[in-house]
Amino acid sequence: MPGTRVAVVGGSIAGCAAALALHRTGHHDITVHERTTGELSARGVGVAVHEGRYRELAAAGYLDPAMAHLRLHGRHWYVRAPGDGPADPLGRRIRTEAFDFRTYNWGPLWRGLRARVPGTVRFRTGSAVTAAAETPDAALLTTAGGAVEPYDLIVGADGYRSVVRAAVGPGGRPAYAGYLAWRGAYPEERLPDAARWDPAAAAYVVFPGGHVVLYRIPGERGGPRVNWVLYTAPPADADLPFSAPAAGFAGLDLPGSAPSSVPPGRVGTVLREHLAALTAEHFPPFWRQVIDLTEPGELFVQPMYDAIASPGATGRIALIGDAATVARPHTGAGAVKALQDATLLESALRDGGALPDALRAYDSARESLGRTMVDLGRSLGAALVTGAPDWRTLDDAALAAWWRGADAAGAFGGQRTPEEPEAR
């Protein structure tokens, strides 16, 4: 399809991967529309990639060993038990198990993918897309300035708040799951006794009604960074009408419309105080310190959502990444899902059939993997947050059995694509 004019809406990880997939399949008239004008790579939070999925994506040419990463080999589960004191700063370790993941800093990972996008691809920053539509002759994008641009193919890589999704089908709007993720990351050097924490281990610290996942990621230029994400329900007095369009976020000190996240430095007093009270009551001393050392400008909050677009493609428009499937981060496969979508799109377009047939084949493969991850996110959300057990009663064997039930499909970290592509 050498004459096809293509637009990619969104320039983050999914958008860069989509542009790369399109270029590899003979599309050379590609424009990426990215709404932000700032530096995307400034997002310094963590991304984890299962080693098996890394090998698949490296073979497909989307990841490589030169991209800055750290290796994890173990996962330790901790709980604050009655009677724990200064002699037990990490708490009681319930279980230690294998955990073969690579961790990345979002910014350098994005830069690595962005560098792979050929220079012939036009990358428009500050180009906000407000609508997409399909006619018998073209796919149309409307930008914030009111201009309408025709394309032969549009790939929506514009995240969980996707504008393009509405052009593919009326359903698929993200549904709020009833709880939040607090996130933070900062230089490890700020932590005075970091040596207590095995650098090759992720920590799961569990408490009534939730848990926090902590692991190190590469720094932008210096040493490692501490990265954490904590899941639990918001306080009852927080006004969080995430399920209602055009509603205010009084409890977040942030106006806007649902769905939305709260960026660093904008988290309101109610949520910050709730986090501090929770860690004081339920966390072993060391892990409380890890959270407390996060500065206000490094803290942000994400409501948890589920969504799957079905269909996720039409004759001229396809969705990729969170625009197509929103699975809760418990799955350990957020970036993997976006990159796998790109490999599936590349494979479908490479087969050389008519565009509608190729997009139909892509969507079938994409939806199968996506639905598995949405189901896993819901299962883990129930097991770890909304229906969490009394963690203090679990020993090694009981926790292992509980995890097998929560991840009955064995999909944690992402499933392999139906046909792993050959190395390029």
Side-chain angles (χ1 to χ4, degrees):
M1 309 173 192
T4 303
R5 187 165 186 249
V6 185
V8 177
V9 182
S12 64
I13 287 176
C16 289
L20 187 57
L22 290 161
H23 188 271
R24 287 175 171 175
T25 53
H27 299 81
H28 300 300
D29 187 353
I30 304 170
T31 301
V32 177
H33 294 264
E34 169 52 44
R35 65 182 179 83
T36 63
T37 56
E39 176 59 59
L40 282 175
S41 66
R43 304 176 185 178
V45 296
V47 173
V49 176
H50 186 278
E51 184 64 19
R53 304 291 71 75
Y54 165 78
R55 291 193 295 269
E56 174 187 338
L57 292 166
Y62 289 82
L63 298 178
D64 68 55
M67 293 176 172
H69 66 279
L70 300 177
R71 293 293 302 275
L72 298 178
H73 300 290
R75 173 167 61 176
H76 302 327
W77 294 78
Y78 296 96
V79 66
R80 178 176 171 180
D84 283 352
D88 307 294
L90 274 66
R92 177 169 65 89
R93 187 186 298 185
I94 310 173
R95 179 173 171 78
T96 295
E97 58 196 349
F99 197 73
D100 201 6
F101 277 76
R102 295 179 180 231
T103 70
Y104 296 85
N105 184 316
W106 196 99
L109 177 60
W110 175 82
R111 284 199 298 271
L113 285 165
R114 177 70 181 87
R116 289 174 176 242
V117 178
T120 56
V121 173
R122 292 177 293 277
F123 203 95
R124 293 188 193 170
T125 58
S127 179
V129 171
T130 58
E134 183 173 345
T135 72
D137 300 319
L140 306 176
L141 279 186
T142 303
T143 59
V148 178
E149 300 183 18
Y151 292 93
D152 300 299
L153 168 62
I154 294 173
V155 177
D158 48 340
Y160 75 106
R161 302 186 74 180
S162 173
V163 169
V164 180
R165 188 189 296 122
V168 175
R173 178 181 172 81
Y176 175 49
Y179 61 95
L180 311 178
W182 282 256
R183 299 195 67 163
Y186 57 82
E188 183 195 54
E189 62 191 27
R190 190 183 303 166
L191 193 59
D193 47 358
R196 290 186 180 275
W197 174 15
D198 180 356
Y204 274 48
V205 182
V206 292
F207 56 88
H211 71 295
V212 61
V213 183
L214 309 99
Y215 55 85
R216 292 172 174 87
I217 61 175
E220 286 279 352
R221 295 175 181 83
R225 291 171 66 82
V226 170
N227 177 81
W228 61 267
V229 53
L230 182 151
Y231 304 91
T232 196
D237 58 346
D239 181 14
L240 308 174
F242 293 118
S243 59
F249 293 85
L252 299 180
D253 298 345
L254 179 72
S257 60
S260 184
S261 297
V262 187
R266 302 286 298 277
V267 179
T269 302
V270 171
L271 290 183
R272 286 189 281 108
E273 290 181 348
H274 181 69
L275 176 64
L278 186 151
T279 58
E281 181 178 1
H282 296 298
F283 274 44
F286 178 83
W287 305 114
R288 177 186 178 185
Q289 177 182 230
V290 172
I291 305 302
D292 288 352
L293 285 171
T294 309
E295 297 178 354
E298 297 162 336
L299 177 68
F300 66 102
V301 172
Q302 298 173 296
M304 293 294 95
Y305 293 101
D306 303 306
I308 185 160
S310 183
T314 63
R316 294 181 180 273
I317 303 175
L319 303 175
I320 188 173
D322 283 350
T325 308
V326 182
R328 303 180 207 178
H330 308 297
T331 61
V336 165
K337 176 171 57 65
L339 295 172
Q340 285 183 323
D341 283 357
T343 69
L344 293 171
L345 180 62
E346 179 180 349
S347 178
L349 293 173
R350 194 178 292 280
D351 285 346
L355 181 60
D357 295 335
L359 296 186
R360 192 177 303 113
Y362 158 72
D363 193 42
S364 177
R366 186 276 319 165
E367 183 175 354
S368 177
L369 285 178
R371 196 169 294 281
T372 297
M373 300 318 295
V374 169
D375 290 344
L376 174 62
R378 288 171 174 160
S379 176
L380 292 177
L384 286 159
V385 183
T386 58
D390 183 349
W391 303 105
R392 296 169 301 175
T393 67
L394 301 184
D395 59 13
D396 181 279
L399 183 60
W402 167 87
W403 180 262
R404 288 194 298 271
D407 181 21
F412 180 73
Q415 292 186 312
R416 65 185 294 271
T417 52
E419 293 183 5
E420 294 188 7
E422 296 178 358
R424 298 187 182 91

